[in-house]
Amino acid sequence: MSQRFAEDTLTIRVIPCLDVNAGRVVKGVNFENLRDAGDPVELAACYSESGADEITFLDVSASQEGRATMTGIVERCAAEVFVPLTVGGGVRSLEDVDRLLHAGADKVGVNTAAIARPELIEEIAKRFGVQILVLSADARRVREGVETPSGFEVTTHGGKQSTGIDLLEWIRKATDLGAGEVLLNSMDADGTKNGFDLEMLGMVREICPVPLIASGGAGTAAHFVEAARAGADAVLGASVFHFGEVSLAEVKQALGDAGFAVR
């Protein structure tokens, strides 16, 4: 694993996430009961101006509906956003990655298709470079009838389908194949605003050799600090930002007060 730095020298990225369904930003609890949070382009531009270090754009229904990510919205967002943009959802091929990069994405996230065919990770990394490839891991505690060594499994289709694949084994395999970054989303904590799953985050940090983004469960500025202390290189929030409960500035202030460097 790469050398970790002391807290006072570690720069933590703060990333708003835009979950998009049918052209609108949506958010719910555990990916259920989605409610409208606004226009993706307007929100992306606002976050860019408000100090976001990056913006993540996820087409939450692309894999479920068996279609590619909406390129048009990506192009519109890229025209308004002046920070790195990560795009995921429905990415199944090198052609999908090429299309999204040409539309203005800086990085591309893979999840469902990579689980179905792990070779996709290696193919993307070799053609486009590891720096553009983000593994999006939607993980949860195992349910009845499923056992894994870590007690966590990865899921697909927005957490709706169990894979029975151990989370830690998948992280090791994906990073060995060329994933340059891991977006770790707790499906149990997602949208609850009760805090990140620090146990899961800590376990993944121990074995993950690439930058790690914590996602799922943020409800207060203090929660972002807890995730940073657990080893996250970046912290991601969605509804807590969309509905004005916590601002980017408040999160960065809390991180700074806790001894972390922020941009």
Side-chain angles (χ1 to χ4, degrees), residues 86-102:
T86 298
V87 181
V91 176
R92 300 179 183 83
S93 66
L94 294 176
E95 290 73 24
D96 288 337
V97 176
D98 187 62
R99 176 174 51 81
L100 290 172
L101 293 176
H102 276 91

Side-chain angles (χ1 to χ4, degrees), residues 15-21 24-27 37-45 47 55-60 73 77 81 85-86 88 236-238 241-242:
I15 306 173
C17 180
L18 308 179
D19 295 327
V20 177
N21 182 44
R24 298 289 292 179
V25 177
V26 296
K27 196 59 190 175
D39 178 78
V41 179
E42 292 178 1
L43 280 173
Y47 289 136
I55 294 174
T56 292
F57 167 78
L58 298 177
D59 187 337
V60 298
I73 292 180
C77 285
V81 169
L85 178 65
T86 298
L236 181 148
F241 294 141
H242 302 337

Side-chain angles (χ1 to χ4, degrees), residues 128-152:
F128 301 102
V130 297
Q131 74 281 355
I132 70 97
L133 181 54
V134 180
L135 177 76
S136 183
D138 292 339
R140 69 184 181 193
R141 284 173 168 75
V142 295
R143 308 290 173 83
E144 186 176 354
V146 178
E147 292 184 9
T148 65
S150 70
F152 293 92

Side-chain angles (χ1 to χ4, degrees), residues 55-260:
I55 294 174
T56 292
F57 167 78
L58 298 177
D59 187 337
V60 298
S61 59
S63 290
Q64 297 175 47
E65 297 172 2
R67 58 170 172 77
T69 305
M70 295 174 289
T71 308
I73 292 180
V74 177
E75 291 175 338
R76 291 168 54 214
C77 285
E80 298 292 334
V81 169
F82 304 102
V83 295
L85 178 65
T86 298
V87 181
V91 176
R92 300 179 183 83
S93 66
L94 294 176
E95 290 73 24
D96 288 337
V97 176
D98 187 62
R99 176 174 51 81
L100 290 172
L101 293 176
H102 276 91
D106 298 283
K107 293 185 279 189
V108 174
V110 295
N111 182 359
T112 299
I115 291 173
R117 195 173 71 85
E119 295 83 3
L120 177 63
I121 297 172
E122 187 173 28
E123 291 167 3
I124 294 172
K126 285 184 176 179
R127 178 165 173 181
F128 301 102
V130 297
Q131 74 281 355
I132 70 97
L133 181 54
V134 180
L135 177 76
S136 183
D138 292 339
R140 69 184 181 193
R141 284 173 168 75
V142 295
R143 308 290 173 83
E144 186 176 354
V146 178
E147 292 184 9
T148 65
S150 70
F152 293 92
E153 68 165 334
V154 291
T155 65
T156 63
H157 299 81
K160 291 180 172 59
Q161 294 188 17
S162 168
T163 67
I165 299 172
D166 182 73
L167 172 61
L168 301 187
E169 291 178 1
W170 176 233
I171 298 296
R172 289 190 185 97
K173 182 173 185 176
T175 53
D176 284 346
L177 287 171
E181 194 166 25
V182 172
L183 169 55
L184 179 65
N185 186 40
S186 168
M187 303 310 293
D188 297 319
D190 182 82
T192 65
K193 302 179 185 177
N194 293 325
F196 295 92
D197 189 328
L198 301 179
E199 179 186 4
M200 182 175 72
L201 182 60
M203 291 175 67
V204 172
R205 176 73 280 168
E206 286 297 317
I207 59 91
C208 182
V210 299
L212 178 62
I213 306 168
S215 171
T220 68
H223 289 154
F224 292 95
V225 175
E226 292 170 356
R229 285 180 172 147
D233 298 287
V235 287
L236 181 148
S239 58
V240 69
F241 294 141
H242 302 337
F243 300 116
E245 296 162 48
V246 178
S247 70
L248 292 169
E250 288 171 334
V251 172
K252 290 195 172 188
Q253 181 66 51
L255 287 165
D257 290 345
F260 292 95

